[in-house]
Structures are given as structure tokens and as C-alpha cells.
Amino acid sequence: MTAFFIRRLLQSALVLGLIIVLTFLLIHAAPGGPRQIYLSPGLSQEAAQVQAHNLGLDRPVLAQFFGWLGDLLQGNLGYTFKNHIPVGDIIWPTVGHTMILMGAAWLFSLLIAIPWGIYNSTVEYSLSDQTASFIAYIGFAMPTFWFGIILQELFALKWDVLPLSDMWTMGKEGNVGDLLLHLVLPVSVLTLGFLAGYSKYARSSMLEVLDRDYIRTARAKGLPERRVIFRHGLRNALIPIITLLGMDLPILVSGAALTESVFNWPGMGRLFVQMAVAREYSVLMAITLITAVFVIIGNFLADILYALVDPRVKLDRKGGAAA
């Protein structure tokens, strides 16, 4: 187990380093840049040079990268080009806001989708199964921003029963009841998307397991169907679902940019869009870094859960989790 932790930490550090380098190079290779926004065409040549020097934009890209990396190793995510505000002061509040929104949608989806998908695997082509398939098709096909606008039109503008947007009503910041009301519409939009994928995945995973020989043997021995499903089938069916959940963990912090933008939710997804338009490289780099860390954590937790769900999975073999 110890060897597994050490090996995964080293692998994670290598992957994180590659992500940092590639992200920095790709962002700086993109068309446009802070020079085009903050160096006004009306400035004189001398004033433009002074402005570029003050922003550090006149340095070679490698020098900018190592400067940023040095600050990062000291816990400093950098400063914005426009107002020279610490990036951490901008990002960390949005991480909490996104986790509230995405966590509620994610948890709500899991509580519905996994049991529903497993149940539908035992009653193929029933009304429940067909209803789940219909909802899944809608969830896959319907653009989230369009669904969000429809809900806003109906529940906020026409019937006036729910808030249109934002996280709080002005003057009610910190009120839990007000927060819950503001969560209803965006969580509904996100839940539909999550529900579509999770329910279909849980159903297909369980169907595959129920077709195995050991399930037929358990049934042939006369074991109750409930015991066959939950004791012999569910454990193995959960392994691919855990993979999906591990891959989705970064969504909890990176957010859904379109949904947050439609509902004006002050999360990290909306911030990323705003900062991409503003060419605030330091903020984009920090968001990418935070998301990458959660990708690595998600994969790591998935490996741990494999072993907890299925004892046949060993963590101490070369390459990590293996059956």
C-alpha cells in the first residue's frame, strides 16, 4: 500500500508538471494576448514599452514561465494584469460557490440515477426503463444553456416563483433559505445532464454483470433475487461507475461554464470565461492548475475505491490498481 502511494504521488507530480508546462505554452501561443488589451493603440511607443515592462510582458516566454513557477512554488498564484489583484483573492471564493452548486447537482443526481439505473436493469423495457431512456435522450440532446433559459422564462419571468439568477437576493447574503431557492433552477439543469449519463451507465453496467455465469449460478441455487442483485451483482457493477465518478470529480470545482454564465452564478466556470475574454493568463493558469489537481485526486480516489469495492483488486502491483 505504501509503495502504491509513493508511486502514485510520483506519477501525479510528473503529470502535474507536464500539464503546467503544456497549459502555459498553449495559452501563450493562443491568438491575442494582454498586450492587445492593455497596451492602448493611443499610447506612445515609449509609454507602451514602459507599460509592457511593468507588466512583465517584454520578457521572453521562458522567463515569464519560470517567474510564474517560482511564485507558484511559494504559494503565490500571481496577479491580474489589469488591476494587479492577487489571483488567489479572485479564485478561492469562486471555488466554494462552484462546489455548492455542482456538489448539490452531483449528489442529487447520484441519489436518483444509480438506484434507478440498477432497478431498470432488472426490469428491461418496462415503463420505468423507457422513461429513463427518454430522459437520458433529452439530457444528452438538449443544450444546457437553452434548457436553463427555458426554466428562467417559465419559473422566474412568467410564474415568478423562483429567482431568475445570482446566488443571493441583494440584502439576503448568507440566508440559507434564499440560497436554496437560487439553487433550484441551475441544479435542475445540471441534474438533467448528470442523470442522463449516470442512469444509462448504471443500467448497462448492471446488465453486463447480471449476464455473468456466477449470477446464473447464484440464481440456480435458489438465492433470493434481492440477494443476487445487491450482494453478488452490485459490487462488480460499481467498478465502472466508480471510474466515471472519479473522472467527474474535477467538475465539482471547475464548474459548468455555460450554466454558471446563464444563471450569473459567481463560480469558477463563469470566472474562466470572463478571464479568457480578458486575456488574464495568470488566472487561467491557476484555474487550470486547480482543475488538474482535482483530476489527479479523482483518479487516485477511484483507485482506492476499486480496492474497497472489490477485494480482488490489488493496489500494490506495478502500475497501481489491478485485478
Side-chain angles (χ1 to χ4, degrees):
M1 192 69 174
T2 303
F4 167 77
F5 275 105
I6 294 174
R7 189 163 55 243
R8 288 307 303 264
L9 283 175
L10 293 175
Q11 291 173 347
S12 300
L14 177 61
V15 171
L16 188 60
L18 290 174
I19 290 173
I20 289 173
V21 173
L22 289 176
T23 304
F24 186 90
L25 295 177
L26 288 174
I27 287 179
H28 281 73
R35 277 175 177 269
Q36 296 184 4
I37 294 180
Y38 303 115
L39 301 184
S40 169
L43 286 177
S44 64
Q45 185 67 25
E46 293 75 15
Q49 289 178 351
V50 171
Q51 184 75 331
H53 179 73
N54 291 337
L55 294 173
L57 299 175
D58 58 343
R59 295 186 299 166
V61 173
L62 279 180
Q64 293 183 44
F65 171 73
F66 284 113
W68 177 82
L69 188 61
D71 290 339
L72 179 65
L73 293 175
Q74 299 177 48
N76 181 4
L77 294 175
Y79 297 88
T80 61
F81 286 119
K82 190 171 185 179
N83 298 318
H84 205 63
I85 299 172
V87 171
D89 291 352
I90 298 175
I91 288 184
W92 294 124
T94 67
V95 173
H97 298 161
T98 291
M99 291 187 73
I100 291 173
L101 174 64
M102 301 302 293
W106 198 58
L107 184 62
F108 197 51
S109 303
L110 288 181
L111 293 176
I112 298 175
I114 304 296
W116 198 11
I118 291 171
Y119 171 74
N120 287 336
S121 69
T122 64
V123 290
E124 278 188 278
Y125 309 115
S126 65
L127 177 61
S128 172
D129 192 25
Q130 293 180 14
T131 302
S133 296
F134 178 70
I135 292 175
Y137 290 139
I138 293 178
F140 286 131
M142 186 183 298
T144 54
F145 70 92
W146 183 81
F147 184 44
I149 292 172
I150 294 296
L151 292 183
Q152 285 178 319
E153 177 69 24
L154 292 176
F155 291 94
L157 299 177
K158 187 174 183 179
W159 298 325
D160 194 23
V161 293
L162 290 170
L164 178 67
S165 61
D166 298 318
M167 189 172 176
W168 312 95
T169 302
M170 188 174 293
K172 292 186 177 180
E173 290 80 2
N175 185 310
V176 176
D178 188 64
L179 172 64
L180 293 177
L181 284 177
H182 282 80
L183 278 170
V184 173
L185 292 184
V187 165
S188 299
V189 172
L190 294 168
T191 297
L192 181 66
F194 282 135
L195 193 64
Y198 291 157
S199 63
K200 296 293 288 184
Y201 210 82
R203 177 184 180 276
S204 61
S205 177
M206 195 67 187
L207 277 176
E208 185 179 343
V209 170
L210 292 179
D211 199 37
R212 301 279 176 84
D213 290 339
Y214 62 88
I215 295 294
R216 294 196 193 95
T217 302
R219 283 171 171 161
K221 289 181 177 179
L223 293 178
E225 186 66 13
R226 182 186 296 269
R227 186 173 179 182
V228 172
I229 297 295
F230 289 99
R231 181 161 184 174
H232 297 280
L234 182 59
R235 174 171 289 180
N236 292 308
L238 283 178
I239 292 178
I241 296 174
I242 287 172
T243 302
L244 182 66
L245 297 180
M247 292 170 61
D248 279 351
L249 183 64
I251 296 177
L252 295 180
V253 292
S254 61
L258 285 176
T259 303
E260 289 186 353
S261 298
V262 167
F263 290 96
N264 199 30
W265 191 268
M268 203 159 73
R270 191 189 66 160
L271 178 67
F272 188 87
V273 175
Q274 294 172 337
M275 294 297 103
V277 173
R279 267 73 161 189
E280 287 287 4
Y281 289 172
S282 52
V283 181
L284 296 178
M285 285 290 298
I287 291 176
T288 305
L289 176 64
I290 293 171
T291 305
V293 169
F294 272 84
V295 168
I296 292 170
I297 292 174
N299 288 326
F300 183 78
L301 291 178
D303 277 346
I304 300 294
L305 289 174
Y306 289 156
L308 294 177
V309 170
D310 188 348
R312 295 174 302 171
V313 176
K314 304 297 182 185
L315 295 179
D316 56 353
R317 294 184 181 181
K318 187 176 182 179

